Amino acid sequence: MGLQHDYPWVKAPIIIGAPMRLISLAPLAVAVSRAGGLGFIGAGTEVQDLQAHLQEASRLIRDTPIVGSAANILPIGVGFINWGADLDTTVRNIGKYRPAAVWFFAPYNNADLVQWTRKIRNATQGDTKIWVQVGSVRDAVEVAGLCRPDVIVAQGSDTGGHGLERGAGIISLLPEIADALKHEGFEDISIVAAGGIVEGRGVAACLVLGSEGVVMGTRFLASTEATIATGYQRAVVRANDGGISTVRSKVYDTLRGTTGWPERIGGRGIINQSFLDAEDGKVTKENMEAHTEALEKGDAGWGENGRLTTYAGTGLGLVDRIQPAAAIIEEIRRQVIDIELQTSNRQSKI
């Protein structure tokens, strides 16, 4: 049916807040949806806190309802890192609070998602839509056949945080996934784009490539509603030239102790002293100790000369200030409208 049918409160172009673990919680998710987008809580692997996050989101929406949303559906989504999240706890809470969507990412095997999909659809009678994030054409086709999700999230290699260590940028990945799904008879599955998109030009490009909506994570790191340390947020706003200043690596996961990720996945973050001190990608005892000491420094622990992990995508050089989520979305919508007018004017002169 399409995103605007399933989520009637959204406005075009549809901006989706990525489910950033520990950062995109109820305040940010609700703010994005309230601005006409679709916000996601980043439950990640910590589903023991899921009920509290969903309770907070329910309260925020109950206090000020989102126009156009159904009374029996929570107008936000929830994202899960499937290799570490507990299915039973997840199903119990999703069935109770009935968010509009769930987002699956990083199972050890794509076949693991079959049970997740079936149980959540049964728990909500299909009201909660299934989104699956992939970074390759092969995974998109396989997931479509296994789960028949409502939405495929095509994640390009420019994305911040975790993604495939080897993959294509969104410019080539998105249309190839669309063509492959159509060829296999899955053209009814919606596709949204993710990876390196932070402002109107990137949004407009993805819409032309066939995306129904656009996911943003890095841009919302610089939102007032993000649950994020000030030092982390400042590091994102100050950085530029993201293709050079960020790197995808397993170093940051090793330092943080989050080492359960599938082998083919790494995390993109701002290059800092922790990464530079890693020898051939290996974290030494001295590096680990220095990272632990940096945790005690508060906001001073982040930055180019700091040691704390700053996950962000290559588009961070286009993020230069901190704003409310609604202001970010409104600015992007104006930019897209301006681009469409400019394109129309150029075409009329041909």
Side-chain angles (χ1 to χ4, degrees):
M1 291 287 190
L3 299 185
Q4 289 195 298
H5 175 273
D6 290 337
Y7 315 108
W9 67 88
V10 300
K11 302 174 184 176
I14 300 171
I15 306 299
I16 300 144
M20 297 177 287
R21 174 179 172 267
L22 305 179
I23 292 174
S24 178
L25 301 180
L28 179 54
V30 171
V32 171
S33 288
R34 196 179 300 287
L38 177 57
F40 277 80
I41 289 173
T45 57
E46 289 80 14
V47 294
Q48 69 272 15
D49 300 322
L50 180 56
Q51 180 170 346
H53 296 319
L54 289 169
Q55 282 179 337
E56 183 179 3
S58 298
R59 179 186 60 78
L60 291 171
I61 292 165
R62 184 176 61 249
D63 291 347
T64 309
I66 294 175
V67 177
S69 61
N72 63 328
I73 301 294
L74 195 61
I76 60 167
V78 184
F80 299 95
I81 298 171
N82 294 86
W83 63 259
D86 179 73
L87 176 57
D88 291 338
T89 302
T90 297
V91 170
R92 183 169 62 252
N93 284 289
I94 296 302
K96 178 179 180 180
Y97 291 93
R98 306 175 86 84
V102 291
W103 175 319
F104 299 155
F105 173 53
Y108 284 127
N109 298 287
N110 287 332
D112 297 344
L113 298 181
V114 173
Q115 188 178 26
W116 279 76
T117 300
R118 177 176 56 82
K119 288 196 171 185
I120 286 180
R121 280 179 170 156
N122 288 343
T124 67
Q125 292 74 53
D127 287 340
T128 297
K129 304 305 179 184
I130 306 296
W131 293 39
V132 180
Q133 177 181 318
V134 300
S136 71
V137 178
R138 180 180 62 188
D139 281 343
V141 172
E142 183 178 3
V143 163
L146 289 168
C147 304
R148 199 80 182 209
D150 301 284
V151 178
I152 289 284
V153 181
Q155 184 197 47
S157 58
D158 288 330
T159 192
H162 289 83
L164 294 182
E165 290 195 323
R166 294 174 55 202
I170 196 63
I171 294 296
S172 61
L173 180 65
L174 176 59
E176 190 174 358
I177 284 179
D179 288 351
L181 292 179
K182 183 177 181 180
H183 181 267
E184 298 295 330
F186 300 121
E187 61 267 32
D188 58 317
I189 297 176
S190 297
I191 305 173
V192 299
I197 310 156
V198 297
E199 42 83 78
R201 289 169 293 185
V203 172
C206 289
L207 295 177
V208 171
L209 290 169
S211 179
E212 284 194 44
V214 173
V215 178
M216 294 187 181
T218 298
R219 183 65 187 266
F220 288 120
L221 290 175
S223 67
T224 56
E225 296 89 351
T227 303
I228 187 173
T230 300
Y232 188 156
Q233 200 168 53
R234 286 174 180 167
V236 170
V237 172
R238 289 172 180 167
N240 55 34
D241 205 0
I244 301 299
S245 61
T246 69
V247 65
R248 191 171 300 285
S249 168
K250 296 186 185 300
V251 167
Y252 299 124
D253 280 321
T254 301
L255 289 166
R256 288 157 55 95
T258 52
T259 54
W261 289 92
E263 184 61 30
R264 63 185 184 142
I265 289 177
R268 181 181 292 280
I270 296 175
I271 293 173
N272 61 15
Q273 200 59 48
S274 288
F275 176 80
L276 296 175
D277 286 352
E279 300 175 1
D280 298 323
K282 294 181 173 60
V283 175
T284 64
K285 178 183 177 182
E286 291 76 15
N287 198 348
M288 187 73 79
E289 290 173 348
H291 180 268
T292 301
E293 290 174 7
L295 291 170
E296 305 299 321
K297 295 181 179 180
D299 291 327
W302 277 275
E304 183 178 344
N305 298 317
R307 290 188 170 274
L308 301 184
T309 301
T310 314
Y311 286 131
T314 63
L316 82 179
L318 297 168
V319 180
D320 58 7
R321 63 196 184 283
I322 299 166
Q323 301 170 274
I328 292 171
I329 292 173
E330 181 58 33
E331 179 180 283
I332 290 169
R333 288 204 178 105
R334 289 197 304 268
Q335 291 170 347
V336 172
I337 291 170
D338 288 345
I339 290 167
E340 290 173 343
L341 289 173
Q342 292 168 13
T343 301
S344 177
N345 290 336
R346 283 197 295 268
Q347 289 175 340
S348 68
K349 295 176 182 178
I350 296 176

